[in-house]
Amino acid sequence: MIEVTGLPAARDLSPAQQVSLLSGGDFWRTRSLPAAGIGSCVLSDGPHGLRFQPSIGDNLGTSASEPATCFPTAVTMASTWDEALVAEVAGAVAVEALALGVDVVLGPGLNIKRHPLCGRNFEYFSEDPLVSGRLAAASVRGLQEWGVGACLKHFAVNNQEGHRFLVDAIVDERTLREIYLAGFEYAVKTAVPWTVMAAYNQVNGEYATDNRRLLTEILRSEWGFDGLVMSDWAATADRVAAVAAGMDLEMPSSQGLSDGEVLAAVGAGRLAAARVTASAQRVLDLVARSAKSGPRPEIPVDEHDALARRAAAEGTVLLANDGLLPLAGDLSVAVIGAFAEQPRYQGAGSSLVNPFRVSSALDEFRRRGVPVTFARGYDPKRSGPDAGLIAEAVAAARTADVAVVLVGLPAADEGEGFDRTHLRLPDQHDALVAAVAAANPRTVVALSNGAPVLMPWREAPAAILESYLGGQAAGAALVDVLYGDVEPGGRLAETFPASLGDVAADPYFPGEPHQVEYREGLFVGYRHHATAGVEPLFAFGHGLGYTTFAWDAVSVDRATVDAGEPVAVSLTVTNVGDRPGSDVVQVYLSDRSGVVLRPRRELAGFAKVRLGPGERETVTVSVPARAFAFYDVGAAGWRIPSGSFDIEVARSSVDVAETLTVQVVGGVDTAPEGPQSPGVAATDEQFARRLGRAVPRPRPVRPFTRQSSLAELGTTRIGRMLNAILWRIAPFDEETKADETTMRTYKRALDELPLRGAAIYSGGKLTWTRVDTLLDLLNGERRQAAVRLVTVLARTARRVRAKR
Ligand code: BGC
């Protein structure tokens, strides 16, 4: 724990003061106690730029925020596979945080992309825990090097947006450790984040905020985390349970709503006073860590824009190219698609940045003096094909040397708070690509979307570029890449499946409102494709470039490996083309020991290399001992099997260049006792075996509790009245009301909000007594409601008398 200078120690504060520190001061700040000399710490979203709101706070990105640089979102940054660049961008976000007076940036987000339809996948790195963990760690280091705190989120198993407040993620221990916690573990241990954010959902029957096993036993005791755990916004399920579990800070402020409950629990001996003191001390430590001296820096707006542009190009993945790219400078170009004029460059929700500037591809083409004709091709607000707009685009494509078609997902199709319902692009985008590519085979498709899509027209265009959501400079970066000023340096950090049926999690996603079962176990993304022999549309790790790399002299530093030792894989990479470029060497492990069932192929290490034409470099990829290990549930620890392992040096999860074999000695020889993974658990019996208990039944909707959602309550007359009141008092201005997408987001958010969340947000108006009385009424317990009211009245009368 850090030495606090100039601040009192928590133990010297009164119990009430200590408890008050454990909930925010307002929407974005920790509580200050000026009389005790305690200031506050300013938190702000995150992750790919700042969403700093000096006055009105919201967590849906609907109210104004200060201008900031909108860097590429995590999905684009992940495609760079470049830890140094991820750290550099995080460092630039830190500089903006310092300029705006922000102490902790709420990011990075590193939840695993369990399913390509999760609405928030654009904010996460990968389907693979190693990529997620390493890039998240780089991001943490990049922020914290500047004295700005990072917040790893959302801990844990928050892999869908639908029902995120209500759902209980049922996941077996081995899958939890190997897939869903491994990235957090890596980032916590290696980058030491100041803070971690507890997620909305439940994990195996307990809310993440109240989960002692996750927050204390695993995060602190096993991984050694000594920072602060805060709740996601209004996620705290039960304040007393949360404090007991090791969740230090409830956010945002609940205006003292539950302070009384916490104090009463301490008084009654149900909660250890030492627990409160420890959490209060962590809040003080965070405040101390956040203290700054000296003037705030200026934001180097142009420099950051240039960095955002470079990063967007580095994260752009060239999915296919028959040689048309890079474009020659003298060609006439038909620029097609409304996104060329109104770029899609970031996702909706709490990460929404108010960018300093936004570049469009169309402007950039024109700025370069390229002879362009522009056709909108579609109306971004409508999803049906518009024959007139498509005909206009086809005419433009016919007369130009080259057509560049910008399509993707409209903002309303993906965002925080909801999941996508299918993998397709809007029909009008598919119809446009098919028509334009038929009219001019020299067509380049440029995609802007936060997660995988299907491409029924895949064979038709000459080239396909995946820009994802590339931030404010995405438009300019696209044109840079098209002309080869910069190489598209990206490799997919996720699988593009050929159909939803090829996603192992699909039958269980998003589950029921109160329960989602992770029956696919370890078989997430390419782990499933590789094991089941399913061909993806585009594979994890795939990405082309404008130059060619030869790999030679692949070797491993030892043929026999003592269990617990790392292995170094080396090779010579030569740029045999005539342009500078970058390559990503991926090393996968394939456990042939047969000791325990494992995915056919698992990423064990990677390295990014940049070389000029003709240059060569010896690249060494370290495969840590942990990559050989599986989580042994029975023994509650990591075990390395003895036996044969293939080391696959690959360009993607389907393109293995060389396989070497090593023998591991001194590990375990047989599968230990306890529930090991028998693969995808299709039946209850298989899943129960893996869970080590019966598959639980989803929590019933009735009786209603503090955890019931407003939509659930809305099935009753009283609930409908409550919802109507909440809508009436919601602070919507006329502009917001006129914006259909925003209002839909609000509606969804309010529908799924649990009653206790409404209480937290109510700023003290909806007290627990009111909530519980309301619940009595909703559950038809009128007598109970009356008793509660009489008790409250009597207590109030006693207090009034005592004061007199
Ligand atoms: C999101 C968090 C975010 C917080 C504050 C929540 O809705 O899940 O990622 O940091 O709001 O805006």
Side-chain angles (χ1 to χ4, degrees), residues 52-369:
F52 174 61
Q53 299 181 308
S55 45
I56 303 176
D58 79 87
N59 62 329
L60 293 173
T62 46
S63 311
S65 59
E66 291 290 294
T69 305
C70 179
F71 291 98
T73 59
V75 61
T76 307
M77 291 309 301
S79 308
T80 68
W81 292 61
D82 187 338
E83 288 152 296
L85 184 60
V86 168
E88 190 181 347
V89 166
V93 173
V95 168
E96 301 199 8
L98 293 174
L100 293 170
V102 168
D103 302 307
V104 175
V105 174
L106 302 174
L110 66 151
N111 295 95
I112 290 292
K113 300 184 196 204
R114 172 182 180 231
H115 195 291
L117 294 185
C118 169
R120 217 172 169 184
N121 275 356
F122 69 90
E123 255 191 86
Y124 301 139
F125 292 113
S126 180
E127 66 191 24
D128 180 84
L130 182 76
V131 176
S132 300
R134 279 181 49 177
L135 298 185
S139 174
V140 171
R141 281 195 301 271
L143 283 164
Q144 295 189 172
E145 260 161 27
W146 289 88
V148 171
C151 180
L152 285 188
K153 68 187 187 183
H154 309 88
F155 191 63
V157 206
N158 180 177
N159 310 100
Q160 64 191 62
E161 288 300 289
H163 324 309
R164 63 176 173 163
F165 281 107
L166 313 173
V167 80
D168 184 4
I170 307 297
V171 55
D172 66 272
E173 183 70 8
R174 184 171 163 205
T175 303
L176 180 70
R177 297 290 190 148
E178 293 187 20
I179 303 288
Y180 295 98
L181 296 186
F184 282 97
E185 178 180 359
Y186 182 87
V188 164
K189 286 182 172 169
T190 64
V192 194
W194 290 12
T195 70
V196 166
M197 185 186 288
Y200 283 124
N201 49 288
Q202 290 179 277
V203 182
N204 290 327
E206 263 182 313
Y207 282 93
T209 56
D210 304 359
N211 205 310
R212 190 181 148 72
R213 173 131 203 283
L214 279 178
L215 302 185
T216 295
E217 289 166 20
I218 295 179
L219 180 65
R220 292 190 193 282
S221 307
E222 279 187 36
W223 301 349
F225 177 69
D226 74 346
L228 171 138
V229 177
M230 69 180 82
S231 71
D232 198 343
W233 266 233
T236 309
D238 174 330
R239 184 86 185 288
V240 175
V243 176
M247 204 218 45
D248 306 304
L249 175 66
E250 173 195 51
M251 284 304 293
S253 169
S254 62
Q255 309 292 343
L257 175 73
S258 310
D259 289 7
E261 286 192 350
V262 178
L263 282 167
V266 173
R270 282 182 288 116
L271 176 65
R275 208 35 307 294
V276 171
T277 308
S279 284
Q281 187 59 52
R282 289 194 196 114
V283 175
L284 293 174
D285 291 346
L286 186 67
V287 172
R289 256 178 165 169
S290 302
K292 314 267 179 328
S293 56
R296 290 182 184 180
E298 291 277 310
I299 297 179
V301 175
D302 293 334
E303 206 181 288
H304 283 185
D305 187 55
L307 173 59
R309 184 168 174 167
R310 174 158 61 88
E314 291 275 350
T316 299
V317 186
L318 180 58
L319 293 174
N321 185 19
D322 72 358
L324 177 62
L325 294 182
L327 296 177
D330 55 355
L331 303 174
S332 64
V333 182
V335 179
I336 294 167
F339 286 174
E341 221 177 7
Q342 297 157 263
R344 174 91 212 290
Y345 61 95
Q346 66 170 330
S350 62
S351 67
L352 196 85
V353 176
N354 171 17
F356 280 119
R357 59 176 78 136
V358 177
S359 74
S360 80
L362 187 58
D363 282 347
E364 185 58 24
F365 274 114
R366 290 187 172 136
R367 205 190 53 72
R368 285 172 180 247

Side-chain angles (χ1 to χ4, degrees), residues 16-68:
Q17 283 175 317
Q18 291 183 29
V19 169
S20 75
L21 285 177
L22 308 190
S23 177
D26 62 22
F27 208 84
W28 296 122
R29 285 173 185 75
T30 60
R31 180 172 299 283
S32 62
L33 295 175
I38 299 167
S40 65
C41 164
V42 179
L43 320 169
S44 178
D45 287 311
H48 52 264
L50 285 178
R51 188 174 68 91
F52 174 61
Q53 299 181 308
S55 45
I56 303 176
D58 79 87
N59 62 329
L60 293 173
T62 46
S63 311
S65 59
E66 291 290 294

Side-chain angles (χ1 to χ4, degrees), residues 759-795:
I760 293 173
Y761 280 136
S762 75
K765 293 189 192 77
L766 203 51
T767 59
W768 288 131
T769 307
R770 287 185 184 149
V771 165
D772 293 339
T773 312
L774 194 64
L775 283 169
D776 290 338
L777 295 173
L778 283 159
N779 286 322
E781 305 277 354
R782 292 208 191 120
R783 261 179 75 93
Q784 175 67 23
V787 171
R788 211 183 282 279
L789 278 178
V790 169
T791 316
V792 170
L793 287 175
R795 203 184 304 139

Side-chain angles (χ1 to χ4, degrees), residues 355-399:
F356 280 119
R357 59 176 78 136
V358 177
S359 74
S360 80
L362 187 58
D363 282 347
E364 185 58 24
F365 274 114
R366 290 187 172 136
R367 205 190 53 72
R368 285 172 180 247
V370 177
V372 292
T373 44
F374 172 62
R376 268 168 69 224
Y378 52 85
D379 172 348
K381 289 228 165 90
R382 287 187 26 217
S383 70
D386 182 316
L389 290 177
I390 292 180
E392 204 178 284
V394 165
R398 265 207 193 105
T399 52

